[in-house]
Amino acid sequence: RFRGEVYIAVDPDGKLAAINVLGAEAVLAGVVPSEIFASAPPEALKAQAVAARNQLFAKLGRRHHAEPFHLCASQHCQVYAGLANEDARATDAVFATRGEVLFLGGRLVDTVYSSSCGGFSDNREAVWGDPADRALRAHPDFDVAAHPELAAFAGGIGAAMVTAWVHAYPATYCSLASKARREKFRWQRSFDRSALERLVAAQYPTIGKVKDLEVLERGPGGKAVSLRIRGEHGEATVLHELPMRRLFDNLESGTFVLELERDTGGEIVRVTFRGAGWGHGVGMCQMGAIGRAEASHSYRDILAAYYGGAATQALYGIARSP
């Protein structure tokens, strides 16, 4: 079920595409409850509404150039489920912030977001290799004044700190949120030798039996930037977070340390990825936004915290209830 018009067109592959035509605020009413819990606190829902509106405008004209539509309804653009998934609480947040978008330095902010940063976000360039963006910088998702025991981590989660970080369960906004799940904040995945060989061979069939795995570089938030796989016939270097996660059966995030178990002959018998967070960990941490809202932060303060001090501007309309 959808609001507005629905029409059918033929896409470049000769298949039928169902296209929903409607305004930005109506789109967002279907997006926000698909991207965050509709039962989240109102200020978190408002923060999500503004972030989703920015994403809507930031992606227009930059994707699906050959398609008979501007944006898709999947995670590639933003999840949109139409009328069936709308929720009055999320719709209220959309219309309470109607027309508001984030700007920093006169530029529209690319307000990427993910489920849980694990307590520390990372730079955009560390995760995707894109040019640096001052709105998308690594930052702690905790308050040192309230939790002085975390002061050692406040400056960043580099190579020297990351093992202690992923083994800890620190008091961050995303861990203290009422909707936080332990397995999304801290996680581990293990692969025995046969599973490891299968996964690596699918992408790098010529390097042979895996002899060693090593993270070569990390971002300031602890994300692995490059990973070297040494095989009996050669080496491969995997760059950036998403290729690493996909290579190893869709890891929860790119913030991880490697624990290698070897037999008496030095051969790997098992590798365990021990990690933090769920998703790419750049920009707004959705679980952290919920935690901040529960700590009485306003949606504008939440957005400023996650996007380098960016401020909202009203592009159009007057905020009103739907």
Side-chain angles (χ1 to χ4, degrees):
R1 298 171 59 219
F2 299 94
R3 297 185 183 278
E5 271 187 282
V6 175
Y7 68 90
I8 306 299
V10 179
D11 73 12
D13 296 322
K15 297 179 180 179
L16 297 180
I19 300 156
N20 190 193
V21 183
L22 68 173
E25 305 306 305
V27 172
L28 293 170
V31 166
V32 172
S34 300
E35 292 284 3
I36 196 171
F37 299 104
S39 57
E43 295 303 298
L45 289 173
K46 291 176 189 175
Q48 180 66 67
V50 175
R53 187 177 292 109
N54 267 65
Q55 283 293 281
L56 191 71
F57 294 146
K59 288 180 169 63
L60 282 174
R62 301 183 66 182
R63 300 189 174 193
H64 301 290
H65 294 148
E67 306 282 0
F69 50 82
H70 292 117
L71 300 167
C72 67
S74 69
Q75 193 174 24
H76 177 248
C77 292
Q78 284 183 116
V79 177
Y80 168 70
L83 188 60
N85 205 44
E86 287 185 15
D87 184 286
R89 294 165 293 185
T91 301
D92 285 346
V94 169
F95 281 87
T97 63
R98 184 174 187 270
E100 282 190 63
V101 294
L102 276 180
F103 279 87
L104 183 63
R107 297 177 63 87
L108 186 72
V109 176
D110 184 10
T111 49
V112 293
Y113 52 84
S114 63
S115 178
S116 172
C117 66
F120 214 109
S121 71
D122 221 318
N123 292 345
R124 180 173 77 165
E125 64 271 23
V127 173
W128 294 305
D130 295 336
D133 185 333
R134 66 190 182 105
L136 302 174
R137 312 308 296 160
H139 60 81
D141 198 31
F142 53 82
D143 183 352
V144 174
H147 298 281
E149 72 278 8
L150 298 180
F153 297 110
I157 313 295
M161 306 288 292
V162 68
T163 299
W165 179 247
V166 300
H167 280 82
Y169 200 89
T172 69
Y173 286 110
C174 48
S175 72
L176 296 174
S178 62
K179 295 186 180 297
R181 290 168 54 187
R182 191 175 188 89
E183 68 273 16
K184 285 196 170 187
F185 186 71
R186 290 293 183 269
W187 53 268
Q188 68 178 61
R189 296 271 295 280
S190 293
F191 303 98
D192 62 20
R193 185 191 309 195
S194 63
L196 176 63
E197 299 288 354
R198 174 178 53 81
L199 293 170
V200 172
Q203 188 69 34
Y204 303 103
T206 64
I207 67 173
K209 181 188 292 185
V210 177
K211 309 294 284 186
D212 196 24
L213 297 167
E214 180 186 8
V215 175
L216 299 178
E217 183 184 356
R218 293 188 183 273
K223 298 283 184 191
V225 174
S226 62
L227 173 73
R228 181 170 61 199
I229 306 171
R230 185 170 62 83
E232 59 182 346
H233 301 310
E235 294 184 352
T237 301
V238 189
L239 297 176
H240 306 307
E241 187 237 22
L242 188 56
M244 290 182 209
R245 291 172 62 189
R246 286 178 171 168
L247 176 61
F248 296 106
D249 197 25
N250 295 315
L251 293 174
E252 284 77 353
S253 81
T255 304
F256 58 78
V257 294
L258 296 165
E259 297 174 356
L260 302 177
E261 298 176 38
R262 300 180 185 271
D263 61 20
T264 55
E267 298 292 334
I268 296 174
V269 296
R270 179 175 295 276
V271 59
T272 297
F273 292 78
R274 193 178 296 273
W278 193 282
H280 56 68
V282 179
M284 187 172 74
C285 172
Q286 292 170 297
M287 198 56 61
I290 292 173
R292 288 173 185 268
E294 290 171 340
S296 300
H297 295 202
S298 73
Y299 75 95
R300 291 191 176 105
D301 287 341
I302 292 169
L303 292 166
Y306 288 119
Y307 297 112
T312 63
Q313 296 182 29
L315 284 189
Y316 56 84
I318 299 171
R320 67 175 190 270
S321 297

